[in-house]
C-alpha cells in the first residue's frame, strides 16, 4: 500500500512536484549537468560525456560509476526542454501512481539491464568484426532507457480500449527502428520498454496518490 499525499489546491505546482519528487530531483540533476556541458570549454564537454558514459570502455574500467553517472547526462543540452516535457508526461504520472520506490526500481532496472545487454551485443559485434573497435568509446548515456521503461509500465494505467492503442504505438515507436537495422541504442530502448511491460506485478494492489482519500465518516453520539 502507498501512503496518500494530500493535495494542496492553493499550491498546484508545489503539490505536483511533491507528488513525484524522484522525477523532479532527477530532472534537476540533468539540468545542472546540461548547464555544465553547455558552458564547458571546447573539448571538455566531450571529455565529460565520455567519462560519464556507460560504453564498453567505461563499463570495464568503472562499471558501477558508469551505470550510475550515465543516467544523469544528456548529449545535447539543447534537448533539455524536450526531456523536461517527457519526464512530466511519462515519469511523473508513473511515480505518482506507483510511488517513488516502485517507480525507481523499474527505471533503474531498465537502465541497467538495457545498458548491459546492448553493450554486450555491441562487444560481440566488435569481436566478430561487424563493428569498428572505436565503438568501445562511443557515448552511451541512458536517460532515455528509463523513459522507455516508464512508457511501458504506463500501459497498465490506461483503461481499455485506449491501452491497446497506446501499447501498439509504443511498440511501433521502439520496435520499427530496431527491426529496420537499428543501432545498439535502439536495442536498449526496446529492452527497456520490455522491462516496463514486464513490471506488471509491481502495479498490482497499488493505491494511487492521485486518488483522494475517502471523506471521514462522522459518527453521531
Amino acid at each position: 500500500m502507498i501512503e496518500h499525499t494530500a493535495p494542496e489546491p492553493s499550491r498546484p505546482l508545489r503539490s505536483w512536484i511533491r507528488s513525484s519528487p524522484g522525477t523532479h530531483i532527477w530532472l534537476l540533476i540533468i539540468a545542472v549537468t546540461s548547464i555544465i556541458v553547455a558552458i564547458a570549454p571546447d573539448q571538455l564537454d566531450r571529455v565529460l560525456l565520455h567519462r560519464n558514459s556507460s560504453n564498453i570502455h567505461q563499463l570495464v574500467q568503472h562499471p558501477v560509476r558508469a551505470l550510475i553517472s550515465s543516467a544523469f547526462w544528456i548529449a545535447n543540452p539543447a534537448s533539455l526542454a524536450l526531456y523536461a516535457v517527457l519526464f512530466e508526461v511519462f515519469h511523473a504520472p508513473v511515480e505518482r501512481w506507483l510511488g517513488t520506490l516502485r517507480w525507481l526500481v523499474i527505471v533503474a532496472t531498465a537502465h541497467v539491464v538495457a545498458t548491459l545487454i546492448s553493450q554486450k551485443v555491441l562487444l560481440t559485434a566488435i569481436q566478430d568484426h561487424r563493428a569498428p573497435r572505436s565503438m568501445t568509446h562511443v557515448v552511451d548515456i541512458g536517460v532515455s532507457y528509463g523513459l522507455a521503461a516508464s512508457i511501458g509500465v504506463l500501459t497498465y494505467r490506461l483503461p481499455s480500449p485506449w491501452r491497446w492503442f497506446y501499447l501498439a504505438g509504443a511498440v511501433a515507436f521502439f520496435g520499427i527502428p530496431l527491426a529496420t537495422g537499428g543501432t545498439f541504442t535502439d536495442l536498449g530502448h526496446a529492452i527497456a520498454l520490455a522491462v516496463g511491460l514486464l513490471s506488471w506485478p509491481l502495479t498490482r494492489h497499488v493505491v494511487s496518490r492521485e486518488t483522494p482519500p475517502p471523506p471521514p465518516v462522522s459518527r453521531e453520539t
Side-chain angles (χ1 to χ4, degrees):
M1 300 287 285
I2 296 174
E3 293 184 0
H4 169 74
T5 300
E8 300 177 81
S10 62
R11 299 178 178 179
L13 180 59
R14 177 180 176 181
S15 179
W16 174 261
I17 293 175
R18 287 184 63 190
S19 66
S20 49
T23 295
H24 293 94
I25 291 172
W26 191 4
L27 189 58
L28 177 61
I29 296 174
I30 292 172
V32 171
T33 57
S34 296
I35 292 172
I36 292 173
V37 170
I39 66 176
D42 292 343
Q43 303 301 320
L44 180 58
D45 56 345
R46 295 183 181 180
V47 173
L48 287 171
L49 292 177
H50 279 84
R51 181 176 177 80
N52 292 285
S53 176
S54 53
N55 55 36
I56 295 172
H57 174 76
Q58 292 295 335
L59 286 173
V60 170
Q61 298 295 323
H62 311 284
V64 176
R65 189 195 72 187
L67 287 170
I68 295 175
S69 63
S70 62
F72 298 102
W73 297 75
I74 57 177
N76 183 5
S79 301
L80 178 60
L82 174 61
Y83 276 107
V85 171
L86 293 175
F87 269 49
E88 297 295 347
V89 171
F90 297 108
H91 278 316
V94 172
E95 185 181 1
R96 294 180 74 203
W97 171 38
L98 299 180
T100 300
L101 180 58
R102 295 191 193 196
W103 164 79
L104 183 59
V105 167
I106 293 170
V107 297
T109 300
H111 173 70
V112 172
V113 172
T115 297
L116 294 179
I117 294 179
S118 61
Q119 289 298 319
K120 176 60 178 178
V121 170
L122 177 59
L123 177 60
T124 301
I126 293 172
Q127 293 172 339
D128 294 342
H129 306 290
R130 291 181 285 110
R133 190 163 294 276
S134 59
M135 291 292 287
T136 57
H137 294 274
V138 70
V139 173
D140 180 33
I141 298 175
V143 172
S144 57
Y145 293 162
L147 271 170
S150 281
I151 290 171
V153 76
L154 193 60
T155 301
Y156 305 112
R157 182 61 169 156
L158 303 177
S160 298
W162 305 113
R163 171 183 301 179
W164 307 114
F165 291 109
Y166 174 88
L167 177 60
V171 171
F173 183 82
F174 291 110
I176 290 176
L178 181 62
T180 55
T183 65
F184 73 92
T185 303
D186 295 320
L187 174 62
H189 288 150
I191 293 170
L193 177 68
V195 170
L197 292 172
L198 291 172
S199 299
W200 172 76
L202 292 178
T203 69
R204 302 179 63 189
H205 311 300
V206 171
V207 177
S208 174
R209 287 183 289 185
E210 295 173 328
T211 304
V217 178
S218 60
R219 296 182 178 178
E220 297 183 357
T221 57

